[in-house]
Amino acid sequence: MRKLFFSELSCRETKLQSVNFYSWFQFDKGKLSSKPSLQSPSSIETLIKVAEPLLLPQFKPTDYVEILAQIHEELETCKPDQKSNLFLLQFQVFRGLGESKLSLRSLQLAWEKSTSIHEKLIYDAWLKYEKKGEEPISDLLSSCHKCCQKFNLLDYVSQLSTESITEETNYPLQGSNMVYFKIGDDMVACDRRKIAALSSPLHTMLNGGFKESKLEVVDMSSNGISPLAMRAVSKFSLTGKLPHFAPEVLLEILDFSNKYCCKGLKEACDRKLATFVHTRQDAVDYMECALELGCTILAAACLNVLLDELPAWLNEEHVVNLFSNMNKAHLSTLVGNASFSLFCFLSEVAMSVDPKSETTVLFLEKLVESATENRQNQFALHQLGCVKFLRKEFVEAEDLFNLAFSAGHVYSIAGLARIASFRGNKHLSIKMLDSVISSCQMPLGWMYQERSLYTEGDAKWESLNRATESDPTLVYPYMYRAAYLMKKQSIEAALVEINRVLGFKLSLECLEMRFCLHIALEDYRGALRDIHAMITLDPEWRMFEGRVLVGQMKVLVMEHVERWTAGDCWMHLYDRWSAVDDIGSLSVICQMLESDLPKGVLYFRQSLLLLRLNCPEAAMRSLALAREHASSKHERLVYEGWILYDTGHCEEGLRKAEESIAIHRSFEAFFLKAYALADSGPDPPSPAAVVSLLEEALKCASDRLRKGQALNNLGSVYVDCGKLDQAAECYSNALKIGHTRAHQGLARVHFLRNDRNKAYEEMTKLVEKARNNASAYEKRSEYCERDLTRADLHMVTKLDPLRVYPYRYRAAVLMDNHKEKEAIAELSHAIAFKADLHLLHLRAAFHEHIGNVSAALRDCRAALSVDPTHQEMLELHTRVHTQEP
């Protein structure tokens, strides 16, 4: 659901007709000539509405640190075949925290630690599904040897189907060794000893007390096997290999091997049949046979194909039924002990396609059945409860939420509270949430947010403010307050409120709301800026509860904004870049992409801005577009190098830079080589090598924006080398061409020259130019007295509560003043909404200092879940572990 809409703009068709927009806004000569009066509370009320926050179908423990610590401890002691399930649980914890990089790493670890073919197949397909956004660059990533397995589905079936080659031995078929199997009018000669050796039942039949042991001719006509298939069985008994036959013949042999318990023969058939599974229809056709006859390899081949084709078949009932109708024996054949992993993946995909579908319900019901321990049970019950809630099946949803809550999943109380509210009992909803809040030592933001849904007046306002205080990443409180302020005829105040969250979290819903506020203020340039930001983040975003494609709204707004020439765009881009206005710069580039200017370099700049705005997925999409629109081979190689560099393959990125330079010496190629060289290999390069590359880059043609960045980077290298005069010159030259961030480097030079006041003055220039920039305040805080430092860091937290340095600083000051409880509380406040290694590390050290070994060990383990390779954290963990009683 979209968070807001213009209630007057109630287009019932999915495609917006211009007349609808015009009829409401009454556009005339580029401005709203007779819009609804903003002095009227009723007109404002119809402008913006904020929907309730979604009930999240995720695993959300009240103390994620405790859960992560438990998982880490169990991973140290559990059996190898239990590790993948623990990493899957870790994946769910990080997913609930919104930590996409960490959750993806946990999924990768689940794949790496899988001990069965079934788990490998499931997690490999899951990783591929999670990385579907990388399809435009998959060819490039797959060319990198280190990531072949990571990005391509491994051909497990071909690995399984490779038969061991055995030397064929010819046994004489004569005398007492001979037995003939009569099938209709045909006689199939076999070696009695070899056929008997295929299984215990055949050995008993041919050599035991049965009459067949005395017969030279055994009638097999009624056993459903053809002469051709029986001859294949005979050959297998002699050579250990099956000839190549059509699937129908192999199925006859498989049926024979199943009847007579011929394990080796059955496995050989299993392997052969697996090689015939190529398409979805093949998988469907063979799956039932594989399950009924217990053919694990054939089942794996079918599963391989079906998982690889998700979500294409989710609407095909006969395919869905294959999974939903499986009993425990079938599941054991299909996935061994990995049924929870399988249905966790299937339900994840089904929910992303249609959370209300019957398919989603079926898979989640199987997930609940597959849960084998309490934490799995909590997660599965809550997910199914959320889906039932969406389907308005409240009785069943209530039962599921109750079970999940009773099992320990406190977040499920949100579902119970909403159901009580739907039944008209808001008092009960408040009572439930009050009970949870009072039972928590540190109540979480979602608890107050949920409570605000059922209160009015001051109580609602207080709950919303407590929600933001406890978890500033929740966008609903900001949106509700902004809508409320607008209803009170203070659009500017509403804009200030929504800008609070957009200052650190680029939310599409909040951008959409700010667009509405700009329209109300007749600020069409500001509205267009937000439209451009939405398009860049998600070109398919639909506004106003999904009724209007964002691109359609852009066309309409553009009619009321003066169009810029290419020269105007460059001028405005320099202005925005110099003002450190990243969203404004993004908007200008979006306009430039509509011109005849080279698109490759524009998409590349767009990717740089998106990385700065902490939108890595959108940045990678822009980088892929830069590659697609490159005007030359050497330019394309540079973009490919950046793609490889940004995905962690520095050495490969370095090679791309060198290939590009061999064709044409360009600024971007040298700049990329400098970056990649600095990060590739175990040993850092000499500063002289990086300096040389950046100097070569500056000799090449480029624009001021990129040269300013190169000069800034060159200054940083000089500082690291202790060459402060050269560094100061670089930073000063960068500032002359509008690279405002160079103030930060120049301030560092002043500080290293023991001129703290001048460093503070330099950073003040950056603070003034880059308005409301949290980073500028944070850096300035390093060069002032304690009181001013506190003021700057308070401003940092106000502008961007996700920056962790202020919390660490304040906690350290409190610790120095022997206020241990307050110091730990300061860190705990931030840890509650941000899983950060440094916060956990510092809190662990504080706990160790005051002698709370168990709490220190808990934080160490949780921190190592965030970064298992952090050396200082590993050392602290080892030290604390030895102190454990």
Side-chain angles (χ1 to χ4, degrees):
M1 289 191 299
R2 304 294 180 244
K3 300 294 184 185
L4 56 101
F5 64 94
F6 293 125
S7 59
E8 299 284 343
L9 187 66
S10 55
C11 310
R12 297 193 180 276
E13 300 177 31
T14 55
K15 183 178 179 180
L16 176 71
Q17 302 297 326
S18 296
V19 67
N20 296 122
F21 192 80
Y22 289 128
S23 64
W24 189 74
F25 285 109
Q26 299 180 32
F27 274 69
D28 180 31
K29 297 181 181 179
K31 65 179 290 184
L32 300 181
S33 61
S34 56
K35 60 184 176 62
S37 172
L38 293 178
Q39 302 305 312
S40 165
S42 61
S43 66
I44 297 172
E45 190 171 351
T46 60
L47 186 63
I48 294 177
K49 291 185 178 179
V50 182
E52 287 186 354
L54 294 175
L55 188 62
L56 300 174
Q58 294 168 349
F59 185 47
K60 294 178 73 67
T62 51
D63 187 352
Y64 75 86
V65 174
E66 184 66 39
I67 297 295
L68 288 177
Q70 288 175 11
I71 293 169
H72 187 272
E73 183 178 13
E74 290 171 34
L75 283 166
E76 292 176 332
T77 57
C78 71
K79 296 177 181 177
D81 62 355
Q82 296 173 332
K83 288 184 183 290
S84 59
N85 269 339
L86 287 169
F87 280 118
L88 175 58
L89 183 63
Q90 190 184 79
F91 163 83
Q92 298 296 356
V93 174
F94 285 133
R95 175 65 63 90
L97 290 169
E99 297 286 350
S100 56
K101 284 187 178 180
L102 296 178
S103 63
L104 193 60
R105 191 200 63 202
S106 297
L107 200 60
Q108 178 71 24
L109 287 168
W111 180 86
E112 290 174 8
K113 299 300 180 181
S114 297
T115 56
S116 71
I117 183 65
H118 313 99
E119 287 181 320
K120 287 284 187 188
L121 285 170
I122 294 163
Y123 289 125
D124 205 70
W126 200 337
L127 281 167
K128 180 181 177 182
Y129 177 77
E130 290 289 332
K131 293 174 176 292
K132 60 184 181 296
E134 294 174 346
E135 287 170 3
I137 55 171
S138 59
D139 63 316
L140 179 61
L141 293 170
S142 63
S143 69
C144 167
H145 178 71
K146 287 194 299 182
C147 48
C148 282
Q149 287 192 334
K150 190 172 180 179
F151 292 98
N152 291 336
L153 187 67
L154 299 182
D155 190 0
Y156 291 113
V157 177
S158 67
Q159 292 179 19
L160 286 168
S161 302
T162 304
E163 297 179 32
S164 57
I165 300 173
T166 56
E167 183 178 348
E168 185 171 338
T169 307
N170 293 318
Y171 293 94
L173 302 180
Q174 57 185 9
S176 61
N177 282 337
M178 288 290 294
V179 62
Y180 294 89
F181 290 101
K182 183 176 183 300
I183 302 171
D185 296 331
D186 285 281
M187 302 287 283
V188 179
C190 302
D191 183 289
R192 181 186 291 270
R193 182 168 56 86
K194 291 293 182 181
I195 284 288
L198 290 177
S199 72
S200 178
L202 283 174
H203 181 272
T204 303
M205 183 179 79
L206 295 175
N207 296 316
F210 291 92
K211 66 178 181 179
E212 285 83 0
S213 63
K214 309 297 184 184
L215 299 176
E216 288 190 6
V217 177
V218 178
D219 192 349
M220 297 284 283
S221 300
S222 60
N223 277 9
I225 189 168
S226 66
L228 181 62
M230 195 63 220
R231 289 190 182 94
V233 173
S234 176
K235 184 169 184 179
F236 179 82
S237 71
L238 298 171
T239 65
K241 294 192 294 185
L242 272 177
H244 293 285
F245 286 116
E248 294 78 11
V249 178
L250 290 170
L251 287 169
E252 288 182 36
I253 300 170
L254 182 62
D255 186 54
F256 174 88
S257 66
N258 218 49
K259 285 178 181 176
Y260 291 98
C261 304
C262 305
K263 185 178 178 181
L265 179 60
K266 180 179 179 178
E267 186 175 328
C269 285
D270 199 354
R271 292 177 185 276
K272 284 284 185 183
L273 283 168
T275 63
F276 288 95
V277 182
H278 304 292
T279 67
R280 189 191 315 172
Q281 192 56 51
D282 293 336
V284 172
D285 291 342
Y286 286 109
M287 179 74 88
E288 187 175 351
C289 169
L291 298 179
E292 290 301 325
L293 298 179
C295 300
T296 55
I297 300 171
L298 179 58
C302 297
L303 184 65
N304 185 2
V305 171
L306 291 176
L307 293 182
D308 195 32
E309 293 196 9
L310 279 169
W313 50 264
L314 287 180
N315 292 323
E316 297 179 19
E317 188 177 350
H318 65 292
V319 185
V320 172
N321 286 341
L322 279 175
F323 290 95
S324 60
N325 293 333
M326 288 180 190
N327 57 34
K328 287 185 178 181
H330 291 162
L331 279 172
S332 178
T333 298
L334 183 67
V335 290
N337 295 321
S339 57
F340 185 82
S341 306
L342 171 66
F343 288 109
C344 203
F345 174 39
L346 291 177
S347 58
E348 183 97 6
V349 178
M351 279 193 292
S352 69
V353 173
D354 181 4
K356 297 181 183 179
S357 71
E358 196 63 34
T359 298
T360 302
V361 172
L362 289 171
F363 288 158
L364 283 172
E365 287 174 345
K366 298 296 286 187
L367 183 67
V368 171
E369 289 177 19
S370 303
T372 56
E373 59 105 11
N374 185 53
R375 292 168 302 195
Q376 290 180 347
N377 200 40
Q378 290 178 35
F379 166 66
L381 288 166
H382 178 73
Q383 273 207 329
L384 184 54
C386 288
V387 168
K388 293 287 187 179
F389 177 82
L390 276 178
R391 288 160 59 99
K392 300 190 185 305
E393 297 171 7
F394 295 135
V395 174
E396 293 177 51
E398 184 176 35
D399 290 341
L400 290 160
F401 286 137
N402 268 317
L403 287 170
F405 182 74
S406 299
H409 194 248
V410 176
Y411 179 65
S412 295
I413 201 73
L416 293 171
R418 295 205 188 189
I419 291 170
S421 176
F422 272 111
R423 291 170 176 166
N425 195 347
K426 289 188 177 183
H427 178 72
L428 178 59
S429 302
I430 295 170
K431 186 178 178 181
M432 288 178 182
L433 289 160
D434 282 345
S435 174
V436 167
I437 289 170
S438 63
S439 66
C440 286
Q441 186 176 358
M442 181 177 288
L444 302 178
W446 67 259
M447 298 174 183
Y448 292 112
Q449 178 177 270
E450 288 295 319
R451 191 183 189 282
S452 74
L453 302 179
Y454 315 114
T455 52
E456 300 295 336
D458 291 343
K460 188 180 196 76
W461 206 255
E462 182 187 356
S463 291
L464 289 168
N465 289 339
R466 292 291 295 274
T468 298
E469 181 185 338
S470 300
D471 185 354
T473 66
L474 298 170
V475 299
Y476 171 78
Y478 301 96
M479 295 184 68
Y480 183 90
R481 285 189 294 259
Y484 178 86
L485 289 168
M486 186 166 184
K487 291 173 187 177
K488 294 296 182 182
Q489 304 180 36
S490 182
I491 301 173
E492 290 79 5
L495 199 56
V496 168
E497 181 64 29
I498 207 67
N499 280 336
R500 283 178 62 194
V501 64
L502 284 171
F504 65 90
K505 187 173 183 177
L506 212 54
S507 157
L508 283 160
E509 293 92 341
C510 292
L511 283 167
E512 188 174 323
M513 175 173 270
R514 191 168 73 175
F515 163 82
C516 299
L517 296 174
H518 282 137
I519 289 293
L521 289 169
E522 300 184 14
D523 178 5
Y524 307 121
R525 180 63 65 182
L528 184 62
R529 178 193 61 188
D530 293 333
I531 285 283
H532 282 152
M534 285 185 268
I535 288 173
T536 307
L537 290 177
D538 183 359
E540 301 302 317
W541 179 254
R542 301 189 72 87
M543 302 172 69
F544 316 125
E545 294 191 313
R547 291 197 295 269
V548 185
L549 189 65
V550 64
Q552 294 173 305
M553 189 60 70
K554 175 189 170 182
V555 172
L556 296 172
V557 175
M558 282 293 291
E559 294 182 20
H560 308 279
V561 176
E562 181 184 356
R563 291 183 180 272
W564 291 336
T565 65
D568 293 333
C569 285
W570 278 113
M571 180 187 71
H572 284 289
L573 183 58
Y574 281 123
D575 288 344
R576 303 289 191 277
W577 200 282
S578 296
V580 198
D581 178 6
D582 294 332
I583 297 180
S585 300
L586 210 58
S587 178
V588 178
I589 288 175
C590 216
Q591 285 183 252
M592 295 170 81
L593 283 165
E594 298 170 3
S595 68
D596 294 329
L597 293 168
K599 287 185 170 47
V601 67
L602 292 174
Y603 279 121
F604 176 60
R605 294 190 190 288
Q606 191 179 77
S607 73
L608 297 175
L609 286 164
L610 288 164
L611 281 176
R612 195 181 286 170
L613 289 164
N614 195 27
C615 302
E617 292 178 5
M620 187 55 68
R621 186 168 60 244
S622 294
L623 202 48
L625 287 167
R627 178 195 184 205
E628 182 184 326
H629 289 88
S631 58
S632 63
K633 183 177 180 182
H634 68 83
E635 184 184 344
R636 179 185 173 90
L637 285 167
V638 168
Y639 301 146
E640 290 181 345
W642 279 114
I643 288 170
L644 290 165
Y645 176 84
D646 287 345
T647 51
H649 306 291
C650 299
E651 293 177 12
E652 291 78 4
L654 180 61
R655 281 198 290 270
K656 291 287 183 181
E658 291 168 343
E659 286 180 50
S660 180
I661 291 168
I663 299 170
H664 177 74
R665 294 167 64 84
S666 70
F667 174 92
E668 292 298 351
F670 280 113
F671 197 66
L672 167 63
K673 185 175 180 180
Y675 259 81
L677 184 66
D679 288 339
S680 62
D683 300 319
S686 67
V690 179
V691 167
S692 174
L693 289 169
L694 289 173
E695 288 177 341
E696 288 296 324
L698 288 165
K699 291 176 186 176
C700 300
S702 184
D703 59 70
R704 291 188 302 167
L705 299 176
R706 294 298 281 157
K707 286 207 171 184
Q709 182 68 59
L711 284 165
N712 194 65
N713 286 18
L714 185 55
S716 298
V717 178
Y718 279 134
V719 167
D720 292 341
C721 298
K723 298 179 179 180
L724 300 185
D725 291 341
Q726 292 95 321
E729 184 180 358
C730 285
Y731 290 131
S732 297
N733 288 334
L735 287 170
K736 288 175 185 177
I737 57 177
H739 191 77
T740 308
R741 284 181 169 86
H743 282 298
Q744 185 174 312
L746 197 52
R748 187 181 175 201
V749 170
H750 292 316
F751 178 74
L752 292 171
R753 287 172 171 169
N754 295 318
D755 195 338
R756 195 184 189 98
N757 290 334
K758 209 163 184 179
Y760 181 81
E761 290 171 8
E762 198 67 43
M763 283 308 303
T764 299
K765 294 176 185 177
L766 179 57
V767 167
E768 290 169 352
K769 290 179 182 178
R771 294 182 185 177
N772 296 326
N773 186 283
S775 176
Y777 281 102
E778 183 173 296
K779 292 299 179 183
R780 190 174 73 168
S781 73
E782 298 176 15
Y783 308 126
C784 51
E785 298 303 323
R786 178 167 286 192
D787 288 343
L788 291 175
T789 296
R790 286 174 177 169
D792 274 355
L793 292 180
H794 174 75
M795 182 60 75
V796 173
T797 301
K798 182 179 177 181
L799 294 173
D800 184 356
L802 296 181
R803 298 184 77 89
V804 302
Y805 174 73
Y807 302 103
R808 295 168 63 201
Y809 176 88
R810 288 189 289 264
V813 170
L814 288 165
M815 203 69 180
D816 287 343
N817 293 329
H818 307 290
K819 297 179 179 179
E820 291 87 355
K821 289 183 179 179
E822 292 89 338
I824 290 171
E826 177 71 23
L827 295 172
S828 299
H829 168 64
I831 288 169
F833 59 83
K834 186 171 178 64
D836 181 79
L837 171 77
H838 303 292
L839 292 171
L840 287 164
H841 186 189
L842 190 56
R843 193 172 74 171
F846 286 179
H847 279 307
E848 182 196 26
H849 177 74
I850 64 174
N852 191 344
V853 176
S854 61
L857 190 57
R858 176 203 61 199
D859 286 348
C860 286
R861 285 168 171 158
L864 289 172
S865 299
V866 174
D867 184 356
T869 62
H870 192 268
Q871 191 57 42
E872 288 184 22
M873 199 67 252
L874 287 166
E875 291 170 5
L876 178 59
H877 176 254
T878 301
R879 187 169 71 244
V880 172
H881 206 302
T882 59
Q883 300 173 33
E884 190 179 23

